[in-house]
Structures are given as structure tokens and as C-alpha cells.
Amino acid sequence: MKARKESMFGERFAVFAEALLTGVWIAVACLGVVTCPAAFAAGARHLRRRTGHEAGGWREFVADFRAALRGGWIVGLAGWAVAAAVWVDVQAARAGLPGGQIVGAVGLFALIGLAVALLRAAAVWTPGGSWRALLADAGRRTVLDPAGSFLIIAGLAVVALSAAFIAPLAVPVIGAVAAAAVAVEERYRHHR
């Protein structure tokens, strides 16, 4: 007897639902603050498994999270240090210091670029991968693939807007950002 094939709509809706569930898992894993890169890496790997029709669930997510956390916590700590530096730049711009607006704008654009590179690195992470190498490659892809980078920025904007309208809605939407990063990386891989 032949297995019944799922409709295209059903399959895509299932991936969307899985992305929302993964967003909840990522949000829980991000509670450690410096664990954000590892959480996104585990979430992206889970979504790659789902779209590849491989088995995997909460246990595999936790195992991936632990593996990604080995070097990912340092990346998370550095990310928060950069965010704090940009916050100081923005405060300088608001205070009216000479040149503060330019420094604040440059800092904000740099922070957005680093966030995109981090999400792109997390989207291709595999156990045993070096975060340094992943981030270097992701930085190049961020610049060489502006359309893909813009799609990730748009995903981040959706999370911010969701949080502004209904704060709890931002939690599952985080998974949609991880799914967008996975899709952007897959698109880039096929178009090189």
C-alpha cells in the first residue's frame, strides 16, 4: 500500500506550524541571554531536519543546543557587548554630541549587519562547527547576498512589530526568523 502524500498546502502549513513551535523553544533557550546564538543554531538545525523530512523533536533540539552552546556562549557574550556599545553610541547621538548622529547611525547599521551575520551563521551551524569560521563565512554572505540579508532584516522587523503590538506574539515569530534564515541560506547555496 502506498503512503498518502501530503498536499503542498498541508506540507507548507506544517513547516510554518513547526517554525512557530521552534520559536517557543528558541525563546526558552534564550533565557540565559548569552545562549541566543546556540538557541538559534539548534532551532535552525531542527527546521532543516523538518524540511529534509528527517525525524527530530525536542530531544534533538536540546542535544543540538548543548553542542552549539560550547562555543556559542562566547559569541552571545560578544554580541551583547556590541549591543551595549551601540546603545552608548545612540545615547551619545541623543545627547547632541558633535558627530553623535553619524556615530549612532553607523553603530546601528553595524549592529543590524552583525545580527544578520549571526543569524546566517546559526542557520548553517552543525555540531562540531567552529563559530569563528561560521561567522566569517556568514559575514561574507551578508555582504555578497544583499537580497537575502534584507529578507532576514525584514523578519527581524516582523518580530519587533509583533512585540510592539502583542508582546507574547513575538515568541513564536522568532521561529519564523530562524526559518527565514534557513531559507535564505538554502537559496544562496542553490544560486552560487
Side-chain angles (χ1 to χ4, degrees):
M1 185 161 80
K2 203 174 190 183
R4 193 172 140 231
K5 189 175 178 187
E6 198 172 356
S7 72
M8 183 67 79
F9 176 76
E11 185 175 335
R12 289 182 179 171
F13 187 76
V15 170
F16 177 68
E18 194 70 28
L20 296 179
L21 175 63
T22 303
V24 175
W25 293 353
I26 291 170
V28 169
C30 283
L31 290 176
V33 182
V34 296
T35 60
C36 291
F40 271 97
R45 187 144 191 265
H46 172 74
L47 292 171
R48 286 195 320 265
R49 271 196 298 271
R50 173 64 175 95
T51 57
H53 302 287
E54 298 173 26
W58 173 250
R59 288 183 180 152
E60 289 78 10
F61 174 86
V62 170
D64 286 339
F65 175 68
R66 286 181 179 156
L69 197 56
R70 288 189 191 104
W73 72 270
I74 296 170
V75 175
L77 186 63
W80 284 108
V82 168
V86 169
W87 183 80
V88 169
D89 287 347
V90 169
Q91 295 308 312
R94 283 184 165 179
L97 294 175
Q101 289 181 343
I102 293 172
V103 171
V106 168
L108 216 55
F109 283 119
L111 182 63
I112 291 169
L114 289 172
V116 170
L118 178 64
L119 286 169
R120 291 186 86 139
V124 296
W125 174 87
T126 55
S130 161
W131 277 100
R132 180 178 290 207
L134 286 171
L135 286 167
D137 290 342
R140 282 189 285 281
R141 290 190 307 275
T142 298
V143 173
L144 296 174
D145 181 23
S149 298
F150 178 75
L151 289 172
I152 295 173
I153 292 168
L156 291 170
V158 167
V159 170
L161 289 172
S162 298
F165 289 125
I166 304 170
L169 186 59
V171 171
V173 175
I174 290 171
V177 173
V182 168
V184 163
E185 286 300 312
E186 193 63 26
R187 177 187 148 277
Y188 180 79
R189 191 171 64 85
H190 286 297
H191 287 93
R192 308 190 257 165

